[in-house]
Amino acid sequence: MVRDSGRPLMGTVLVTSRSFSSGSIDEVGRLADAGHTVVTASPSHDIAELRALLPDAIGWIAGTGVITRQHLDAAPHLRVIARYGVGVESVDIAAAAEQGIVVTNTPGANSDAVADHAVGLMLAILRGTTAGDRRVRANDWSMLRGRELGALSVGIIGFGRIGQGVARRLQGFGSRILAHDPWLGDDAVFKAGAVPQGILAMASECDLVTLHSPGGASIITNEWLARTRPGIVIVNTARPELIDEPALAQALRAQSVGGFAADTLAGDARGLSSPLLAADLADRVIVTPHIGAQTVQAVDNMGSMAVNNLLAVLAGDPPANPVSTKA
């Protein structure tokens, strides 16, 4: 189905992002001031819930839930899906293009927040911060000896905005920085302050490896773990599928891997079944509940960019951050 060329200038905007407008900027108020009515719904994008809301929507500020052709068929007036975040793998881009719906995202809006969190996790696992806190609360003040970040060789897999942000922060510590990104040439990696290196070579050359790649195939596999420098530390603030969790749990128990820190696990909220959360690994594993992007500044950045993109499309102007445009 191809939509007509009419562009309603005001109407209903559906919001399905949990943290939208929860920072210091009233983005809901901005939409209201522009003449729109804002309705909110669950970030799960349950079609049974949304079926009553989508027919009136001209714009959608969408969270991470799946948006299928079925959703779009139920939204005959929809002109724009403004993803609140970067990833658009959950959106049926082809169906949106067929139906004349512009899809946008918010690249770079939370890069600093995630880079900060990645370095924070590095420090926490290297110094045994959470394990130390648990011991003190049990009246155990025994010494925990850690390692200094500046003394380590750190590999960054995925050297986009977040990976380069991590590199800038590590330069202040004095770490030796290696990086891999299939989309960047060696000159660009050198210019950003790192030494180009392959993923397999990083296993044996690095004391710590931090993951900032898009989802897809696993990187931390049995093959990769078999090559690691003893005591290597792994940090993941990207996608859970980058880690073979049973293989990593086995390597932690064998102490060939010294520690693991992550902001995500396979299944996320259902991740209590992850082998990495086993009680015997608690002192060498830190997991946070997907909070890398949850800062006031990142929420404001994502909200402002999403609203700017949405308002531009509804005004008939090109958005600043298109992922796809009308067919």
Side-chain angles (χ1 to χ4, degrees):
M1 176 177 71
V2 178
R3 295 171 187 261
D4 61 47
S5 59
R7 292 188 297 268
L9 296 178
M10 61 184 64
T12 298
V13 174
L14 175 64
V15 175
T16 56
S17 168
R18 184 179 290 110
S19 64
F20 176 75
S21 198
S22 63
S24 65
I25 300 174
D26 181 9
E27 299 294 351
V28 170
R30 282 185 65 203
L31 290 169
D33 289 345
H36 300 292
T37 300
V38 177
V39 297
T40 60
S42 166
S44 70
H45 295 180
D46 182 354
I47 188 65
E49 176 190 3
L50 295 183
R51 200 177 293 282
L53 302 176
L54 286 169
D56 295 327
I58 61 170
W60 186 351
I61 294 179
T64 57
V66 172
I67 298 177
T68 66
R69 186 180 294 272
Q70 187 179 12
H71 289 86
L72 303 183
D73 286 344
H77 303 298
L78 191 64
R79 295 292 180 268
V80 54
I81 297 169
R83 263 285 291 119
Y84 179 83
V86 179
V88 293
E89 61 272 9
S90 61
V91 181
D92 189 332
I93 299 291
E98 288 174 18
Q99 300 188 27
I101 301 169
V102 178
V103 180
T104 68
N105 65 350
T106 61
N110 59 18
S111 297
D112 283 338
V114 177
D116 279 355
H117 192 56
V119 175
L121 288 174
M122 293 177 197
L123 293 168
I125 197 68
L126 287 169
R127 299 304 301 269
T129 304
T130 57
D133 176 80
R134 284 193 297 270
R135 291 185 184 186
V136 168
R137 293 174 189 277
N139 199 28
D140 178 357
W141 291 76
S142 57
M143 182 185 68
L144 295 170
R145 179 166 292 156
R147 288 186 282 173
E148 296 177 17
L149 187 50
L152 306 183
S153 293
V154 178
I156 303 174
I157 299 177
F159 208 49
R161 289 182 178 90
I162 296 172
Q164 291 182 36
V166 170
R168 288 193 299 273
R169 287 155 175 79
L170 292 176
Q171 288 164 8
F173 287 90
S175 307
R176 176 175 176 252
I177 306 167
L178 299 87
H180 173 82
D181 194 304
W183 303 106
L184 288 181
D186 288 356
D187 288 346
V189 173
F190 279 120
K191 186 176 181 180
V195 176
Q197 186 56 271
I199 291 176
L200 283 177
M202 280 188 186
S204 60
E205 290 199 24
C206 294
D207 305 292
L208 185 152
V209 167
T210 179
L211 304 177
H212 303 284
S213 294
S218 292
I219 292 173
I220 307 305
T221 62
N222 272 316
E223 179 188 6
W224 192 89
L225 290 165
R227 298 168 178 257
T228 58
R229 179 177 291 187
I232 193 171
V233 169
I234 298 165
V235 174
N236 183 21
T237 55
R239 299 287 190 269
E241 60 266 26
L242 300 177
I243 303 281
D244 180 335
E245 293 186 359
L248 179 55
Q250 183 177 359
L252 284 160
R253 288 193 174 94
Q255 299 188 22
S256 57
V257 172
F260 175 64
D263 193 38
T264 181
L265 290 175
D268 276 346
R270 301 177 300 282
L272 287 176
S273 62
S274 170
L276 295 169
L277 291 177
D280 65 310
L281 298 178
D283 281 356
R284 286 179 290 133
V285 173
I286 298 172
V287 182
T288 54
H290 213 65
I291 59 174
Q294 292 303 315
T295 66
V296 171
Q297 293 76 19
V299 166
D300 285 346
N301 289 340
M302 287 188 289
S304 293
M305 291 176 70
V307 169
N308 290 344
N309 285 326
L310 181 141
L311 292 178
V313 174
L314 295 181
D317 298 324
N321 310 106
V323 174
S324 73
T325 54
K326 293 184 180 182

